[in-house]
Short mmCIF file of all heavy atoms in Angstrom, two decimals:
data_model
loop_
_atom_site.label_atom_id
_atom_site.label_comp_id
_atom_site.label_asym_id
_atom_site.label_seq_id
_atom_site.Cartn_x
_atom_site.Cartn_y
_atom_site.Cartn_z
N PRO A 551 19.89 -13.40 1.13
CA PRO A 551 19.12 -14.20 1.82
C PRO A 551 19.04 -15.68 1.26
O PRO A 551 19.44 -15.87 0.23
CB PRO A 551 17.64 -13.58 1.64
CG PRO A 551 17.80 -13.02 0.32
CD PRO A 551 19.20 -12.55 0.12
N GLU A 552 18.73 -16.57 2.16
CA GLU A 552 18.28 -17.94 1.65
C GLU A 552 17.01 -17.67 0.80
O GLU A 552 16.45 -16.66 0.75
CB GLU A 552 17.98 -18.83 2.92
CG GLU A 552 19.07 -18.90 3.94
CD GLU A 552 20.29 -19.65 3.42
OE1 GLU A 552 20.29 -20.27 2.29
OE2 GLU A 552 21.36 -19.65 4.05
N GLU A 553 16.61 -18.70 0.23
CA GLU A 553 15.36 -18.80 -0.58
C GLU A 553 14.22 -18.65 0.40
O GLU A 553 14.04 -19.65 1.23
CB GLU A 553 15.10 -19.95 -1.44
CG GLU A 553 13.93 -19.99 -2.17
CD GLU A 553 13.68 -18.80 -3.08
OE1 GLU A 553 14.49 -18.52 -3.93
OE2 GLU A 553 12.60 -18.04 -2.87
N VAL A 554 13.56 -17.58 0.49
CA VAL A 554 12.56 -17.33 1.60
C VAL A 554 11.31 -16.80 0.90
O VAL A 554 11.25 -16.47 -0.20
CB VAL A 554 13.01 -16.21 2.64
CG1 VAL A 554 14.13 -16.81 3.44
CG2 VAL A 554 13.35 -15.05 2.02
N ASN A 555 10.17 -16.91 1.69
CA ASN A 555 8.85 -16.44 1.26
C ASN A 555 8.75 -14.97 1.60
O ASN A 555 8.53 -14.67 2.86
CB ASN A 555 7.88 -17.34 1.90
CG ASN A 555 6.39 -16.93 1.49
OD1 ASN A 555 6.25 -15.80 0.80
ND2 ASN A 555 5.38 -17.63 1.91
N SER A 556 8.58 -14.05 0.71
CA SER A 556 8.68 -12.60 1.07
C SER A 556 7.29 -12.16 1.65
O SER A 556 7.25 -11.11 2.20
CB SER A 556 8.91 -11.74 -0.27
OG SER A 556 10.25 -11.96 -0.67
N VAL A 557 6.23 -12.99 1.45
CA VAL A 557 5.06 -12.49 2.19
C VAL A 557 4.73 -13.32 3.41
O VAL A 557 3.70 -13.33 3.98
CB VAL A 557 3.75 -12.74 1.19
CG1 VAL A 557 3.95 -11.76 -0.02
CG2 VAL A 557 3.58 -14.14 0.73
N ASP A 558 5.85 -13.95 3.94
CA ASP A 558 5.83 -14.45 5.30
C ASP A 558 6.05 -13.37 6.21
O ASP A 558 7.05 -12.69 6.14
CB ASP A 558 6.87 -15.58 5.45
CG ASP A 558 6.97 -16.31 6.76
OD1 ASP A 558 6.77 -15.59 7.74
OD2 ASP A 558 7.04 -17.47 6.83
N ALA A 559 5.17 -13.18 7.12
CA ALA A 559 5.27 -11.95 8.08
C ALA A 559 6.66 -11.99 8.81
O ALA A 559 7.10 -10.91 9.11
CB ALA A 559 4.10 -12.02 9.01
N THR A 560 7.06 -13.17 9.13
CA THR A 560 8.42 -13.31 9.88
C THR A 560 9.53 -12.80 9.07
O THR A 560 10.40 -12.03 9.52
CB THR A 560 8.70 -14.76 10.22
OG1 THR A 560 7.60 -15.31 10.98
CG2 THR A 560 10.05 -14.88 11.00
N VAL A 561 9.55 -13.05 7.74
CA VAL A 561 10.49 -12.49 6.80
C VAL A 561 10.40 -10.98 6.76
O VAL A 561 11.41 -10.18 6.79
CB VAL A 561 10.44 -13.17 5.47
CG1 VAL A 561 11.34 -12.58 4.43
CG2 VAL A 561 10.70 -14.74 5.56
N PHE A 562 9.18 -10.55 6.55
CA PHE A 562 8.95 -9.11 6.43
C PHE A 562 9.40 -8.40 7.76
O PHE A 562 10.09 -7.27 7.67
CB PHE A 562 7.45 -8.78 6.32
CG PHE A 562 7.12 -7.44 6.10
CD1 PHE A 562 7.42 -6.57 4.96
CD2 PHE A 562 6.39 -6.78 7.13
CE1 PHE A 562 7.14 -5.28 4.97
CE2 PHE A 562 6.11 -5.34 7.02
CZ PHE A 562 6.42 -4.75 5.91
N ALA A 563 9.08 -8.93 8.84
CA ALA A 563 9.52 -8.39 10.16
C ALA A 563 11.15 -8.33 10.26
O ALA A 563 11.63 -7.35 10.76
CB ALA A 563 9.02 -9.08 11.24
N GLU A 564 11.74 -9.38 9.72
CA GLU A 564 13.25 -9.39 9.71
C GLU A 564 13.81 -8.31 8.79
O GLU A 564 14.86 -7.76 9.17
CB GLU A 564 13.78 -10.77 9.38
CG GLU A 564 13.55 -11.82 10.43
CD GLU A 564 14.38 -13.07 10.21
OE1 GLU A 564 15.35 -13.01 9.34
OE2 GLU A 564 14.20 -14.06 10.92
N VAL A 565 13.16 -8.11 7.75
CA VAL A 565 13.75 -7.04 6.85
C VAL A 565 13.55 -5.64 7.56
O VAL A 565 14.46 -4.82 7.33
CB VAL A 565 12.94 -7.07 5.52
CG1 VAL A 565 13.41 -5.87 4.66
CG2 VAL A 565 13.18 -8.26 4.78
N LEU A 566 12.50 -5.49 8.24
CA LEU A 566 12.32 -4.19 8.98
C LEU A 566 13.40 -4.05 10.06
O LEU A 566 13.94 -3.09 10.28
CB LEU A 566 10.96 -4.22 9.76
CG LEU A 566 9.65 -4.20 8.78
CD1 LEU A 566 8.48 -3.91 9.59
CD2 LEU A 566 9.83 -3.35 7.67
N GLU A 567 13.72 -5.19 10.77
CA GLU A 567 14.67 -5.17 11.82
C GLU A 567 16.02 -4.83 11.16
O GLU A 567 16.88 -4.14 11.76
CB GLU A 567 14.69 -6.48 12.58
CG GLU A 567 15.72 -6.44 13.76
CD GLU A 567 15.49 -5.40 14.74
OE1 GLU A 567 14.35 -4.89 14.96
OE2 GLU A 567 16.44 -4.78 15.32
N GLN A 568 16.40 -5.39 10.06
CA GLN A 568 17.61 -5.16 9.36
C GLN A 568 17.73 -3.66 9.01
O GLN A 568 18.77 -3.10 9.09
CB GLN A 568 17.81 -6.09 8.19
CG GLN A 568 17.96 -7.54 8.43
CD GLN A 568 19.31 -7.85 8.88
OE1 GLN A 568 20.28 -7.04 8.83
NE2 GLN A 568 19.49 -8.91 9.54
N THR A 569 16.58 -3.15 8.54
CA THR A 569 16.51 -1.74 8.19
C THR A 569 16.88 -0.83 9.41
O THR A 569 17.65 0.14 9.40
CB THR A 569 15.16 -1.37 7.60
OG1 THR A 569 14.93 -2.08 6.51
CG2 THR A 569 15.05 0.08 7.33
N ARG A 570 16.24 -1.21 10.58
CA ARG A 570 16.50 -0.41 11.70
C ARG A 570 17.85 -0.59 12.31
O ARG A 570 18.39 0.35 12.74
CB ARG A 570 15.50 -0.81 12.82
CG ARG A 570 15.67 -0.03 14.08
CD ARG A 570 14.44 0.03 14.98
NE ARG A 570 13.91 -1.27 15.24
CZ ARG A 570 12.76 -1.45 15.86
NH1 ARG A 570 12.06 -0.41 16.30
NH2 ARG A 570 12.22 -2.80 16.15
N SER A 571 18.44 -1.79 12.08
CA SER A 571 19.80 -2.00 12.68
C SER A 571 20.85 -1.27 11.83
O SER A 571 21.76 -0.81 12.24
CB SER A 571 20.18 -3.48 12.71
OG SER A 571 20.25 -4.03 11.29
N LEU A 572 20.56 -1.02 10.47
CA LEU A 572 21.46 -0.39 9.58
C LEU A 572 21.40 1.13 9.93
O LEU A 572 22.51 1.86 9.97
CB LEU A 572 21.12 -0.58 8.17
CG LEU A 572 21.49 -1.87 7.50
CD1 LEU A 572 20.73 -2.11 6.19
CD2 LEU A 572 23.03 -1.99 7.41
N TYR A 573 20.24 1.68 10.13
CA TYR A 573 20.05 3.13 10.40
C TYR A 573 19.16 3.36 11.53
O TYR A 573 17.98 3.68 11.37
CB TYR A 573 19.62 3.82 9.10
CG TYR A 573 20.47 3.81 7.89
CD1 TYR A 573 20.29 2.94 6.87
CD2 TYR A 573 21.69 4.53 7.98
CE1 TYR A 573 21.12 2.78 5.78
CE2 TYR A 573 22.64 4.36 6.99
CZ TYR A 573 22.29 3.54 5.86
OH TYR A 573 23.27 3.50 4.77
N PRO A 574 19.64 3.22 12.78
CA PRO A 574 18.76 3.16 13.94
C PRO A 574 18.09 4.58 14.36
O PRO A 574 17.12 4.56 14.97
CB PRO A 574 19.59 2.59 15.05
CG PRO A 574 21.08 2.87 14.59
CD PRO A 574 21.00 2.77 13.08
#
Side-chain angles (χ1 to χ4, degrees):
E552 306 289 354
E553 179 57 58
V554 295
N555 179 354
S556 289
V557 298
D558 184 315
T560 302
V561 173
F562 180 70
E564 285 197 11
V565 174
L566 299 190
E567 184 55 38
Q568 291 288 342
T569 298
R570 181 158 54 183
S571 67
L572 285 167
Y573 296 107

